[in-house]
């Protein structure tokens, strides 16, 4: 491996890295919001919306992100909906992630024993208070390991963005291999940057999992 | 809306063939992963230090590296570093089996860890040797726990095989692209209909399998 080549590749990879994490984290934030809304709608059995949320979750959990992106980016403009590549990446990741997060939050909410709610109500808290102060914090705590797993999964999924011509890490690697044939160097940088992106999250995830273990209600 | 292009010639059939190309890769990888993963999972449970460390590293690599990166490493890297010329399809099979085996072995390890020690002790005291203990006592018990989880892994693998188009394998998305290109003049809106169809096809391939997994999980909960 040639260190000079690695050095010359660095700026391009750094730029691609920033783009990848920007879209990745925006998408994850969107996934959080969509997932939370969808889980509430399903948990509180809100008529009509509950159905829609249920269909949405099944549809997006059972299709690959790549196919979703192709449809949003290449298909939707044909019926007049044009979305920029970056927005499309965020939206695609948000929709995919939202369906996973929804399942995670929903099972978190379901896992809270009824006694928690009954006790809080009998202490004179209002329904709103019970949900905000008791149920939601507990449900989120229970969900921490699954949320961490989802975040890692979604960050890995960012690797398909090059298909909608975003200049992300994969795109950069493929481009450089095609241009200069320094395959080893290009692949090394690719692995390096994905490790920088995912290793801290993976370590934080396992720390968070250990912290919340044994702090579940009713245990 | 671009659906009409699907009924031209044998376009729909070609799309289905493309889907099959992707499904075939995932099914072969699943089969390999099930067998190797079961073996590796049992090996890890024997608590040999070296095996545990190696499998841990293996699992971490698979957990952290996107499958797309692994595909690039094998497809572009192997020819460069090892001087091997590996076809795109073989690369895909190697990567998906590498990934699946690691995930599967972790499922096996987790299920084995949940079997109480007394099961082994009782079995030994009845005169079973370790092999018999695994074959007749332990494995039948972990299968129930494992089946829903492995079915889940199968749907994940099917979804992930959509990536193989990025290393040039002609699968359903690629066929879709070709159909859209070929009919650019006559159906300018084909992209909508074709990609929506691909979306639905993937859904139809994965949804029944994940329903089955959920059903079995509920049924065998206790």
């Amino acid at each position: 491996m040639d260190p000079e080549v690695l050095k010359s590749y660095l700026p391009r990879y750094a730029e691609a890295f920033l783009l990848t994490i920007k879209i990745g984290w925006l998408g994850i934030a969107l996934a959080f919001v969509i997932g939370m809304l969808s889980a509430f709608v399903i948990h509180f059995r809100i008529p009509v919306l509950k159905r829609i949320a249920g269909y949405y979750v099944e549809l997006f959990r059972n299709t690959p992100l790549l196919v979703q992106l192709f449809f949003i980016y290449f298909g939707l403009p044909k019926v007049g909906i044009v979305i920029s590549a970056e927005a499309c990446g965020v939206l695609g990741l948000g929709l995919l992630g939202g369906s996973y997060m929804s399942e995670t939050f929903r099972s978190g909410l379901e896992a809270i024993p009824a006694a928690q709610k009954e006790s809080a109500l009998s202490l004179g808290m209002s329904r709103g208070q019970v949900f905000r102060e008791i149920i939601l914090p507990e449900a989120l705590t229970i969900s921490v390991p699954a949320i961490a797993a989802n975040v890692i999964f979604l960050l890995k999924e960012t690797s398909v963005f090059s298909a909608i011509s975003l200049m992300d890490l994969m795109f950069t690697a493929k481009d450089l291999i095609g241009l200069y044939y320094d395959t080893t160097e290009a692949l090394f940088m690719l692995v390096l940057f994905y490790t920088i992106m995912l290793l801290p999250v993976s370590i934080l995830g396992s720390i968070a999992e250990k912290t919340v273990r044994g702090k579940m209600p009713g245990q | 809306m671009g659906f009409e292009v699907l009924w031209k010639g044998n376009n729909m059939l070609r799309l289905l063939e493309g889907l099959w190309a992707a499904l075939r890769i995932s099914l072969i990888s699943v089969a390999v992963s099930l067998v190797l993963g079961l073996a590796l999972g049992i090996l890890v449970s024997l608590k040999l230090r070296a095996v545990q460390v190696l499998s841990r590293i293996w699992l971490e690599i698979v957990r952290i590296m996107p499958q797309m990166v692994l595909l690039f490493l094998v497809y572009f890297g192997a020819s460069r570093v090892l001087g091997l010329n590996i076809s795109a399809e073989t690369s895909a099979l190697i990567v998906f089996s590498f990934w699946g085996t690691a995930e599967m072995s972790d499922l096996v390890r987790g299920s084995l860890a949940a079997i109480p020690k007394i099961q082994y002790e009782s079995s030994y005291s009845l005169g079973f040797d370790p092999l018999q203990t695994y074959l007749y006592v332990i494995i039948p018990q972990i299968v129930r726990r494992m089946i829903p989880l492995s079915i889940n892994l199968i749907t994940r693998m099917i979804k992930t095989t959509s990536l193989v188009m990025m290393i040039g394998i002609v699968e359903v998305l690629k066929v879709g692209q070709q159909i859209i290109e070929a009919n650019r003049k006559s159906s300018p809106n084909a992209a909508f209909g074709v990609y929506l169809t691909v979306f639905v096809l993937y859904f139809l391939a994965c949804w029944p399998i994940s329903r089955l997994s959920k059903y079995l999980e509920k049924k065998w909960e206790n």
Side-chain angles (χ1 to χ4, degrees), chain A residues 1-216:
Chain A
M1 230 182 302
D2 187 346
E4 280 305 307
V5 174
L6 291 182
K7 228 167 88 187
S8 69
Y9 282 180
L10 192 61
R12 280 204 61 182
Y13 273 96
E15 204 177 317
F17 176 71
L18 290 179
L19 179 76
T20 310
I21 52 173
K22 187 179 94 186
I23 299 177
W25 284 104
L26 281 175
I28 289 168
L30 182 63
F32 228 83
V33 175
I34 297 178
M36 196 73 96
L37 287 175
S38 154
F40 286 168
V41 163
I42 295 173
H43 183 71
F44 291 113
R45 303 205 167 77
I46 298 171
V48 188
L49 290 180
K50 173 192 81 175
R51 273 269 174 78
I52 298 172
Y55 291 142
Y56 152 71
V57 170
E58 289 293 330
L59 203 57
F60 278 81
R61 274 179 69 92
N62 286 301
T63 44
L65 178 60
L66 191 58
V67 175
Q68 297 165 6
L69 287 177
F70 263 68
F71 177 65
I72 299 173
Y73 189 67
F74 299 111
L76 286 185
K78 303 295 178 194
V79 291
I81 306 167
V82 184
I83 305 171
S84 77
E86 281 193 31
C88 182
V90 174
L91 182 65
L93 202 63
L95 285 171
L96 171 80
S99 67
Y100 281 80
M101 292 289 188
S102 171
E103 286 286 276
T104 302
F105 293 141
R106 193 186 52 78
S107 55
L109 287 170
E110 273 173 13
I112 308 297
Q116 297 289 103
K117 187 177 153 193
E118 289 154 9
S119 319
L121 283 175
S122 71
L123 286 170
M125 294 172 103
S126 72
R127 286 189 175 274
Q129 276 178 320
V130 173
F131 188 72
R132 274 198 316 274
E133 311 283 336
I134 310 289
I135 309 293
L136 193 59
E138 287 182 350
L140 284 176
T141 310
I142 288 186
S143 310
V144 163
I147 292 173
N150 284 346
V151 167
I152 293 174
F153 161 70
L154 291 172
L155 282 177
K156 286 165 72 178
E157 288 286 308
T158 59
S159 59
V160 307
F161 285 159
S162 60
I164 54 168
S165 54
L166 279 171
M167 300 223 242
D168 71 339
L169 288 169
M170 296 308 302
F171 182 94
T172 306
K174 201 169 185 177
D175 199 33
L176 289 173
I177 291 172
L179 281 174
Y180 307 114
Y181 287 103
D182 288 319
T183 312
T184 322
E185 285 82 0
L187 290 176
F188 175 78
M189 295 294 269
L190 179 67
V191 170
L192 181 71
F193 273 98
Y194 265 108
T195 311
I196 295 173
M197 184 156 115
L198 280 147
L199 193 60
V201 183
S202 168
I203 293 170
L204 276 179
S206 25
I207 293 173
E209 195 179 332
K210 280 190 191 109
T211 319
V212 302
R213 194 178 290 154
K215 292 191 178 159
M216 314 295 182

Side-chain angles (χ1 to χ4, degrees), chain B residues 54-89:
Chain B
L54 281 178
S55 77
R56 189 76 230 157
I57 295 173
W58 184 348
L59 197 62
E60 280 307 313
I61 292 175
V62 165
R63 290 245 164 103
I64 289 181
M65 276 303 128
Q67 284 82 21
M68 197 65 236
V69 174
L70 297 176
L71 274 177
F72 266 48
L73 282 181
V74 173
Y75 186 59
F76 293 115
S79 58
R80 186 69 184 205
V81 182
L82 306 172
L84 294 171
N85 200 357
I86 302 180
S87 74
E89 190 160 342

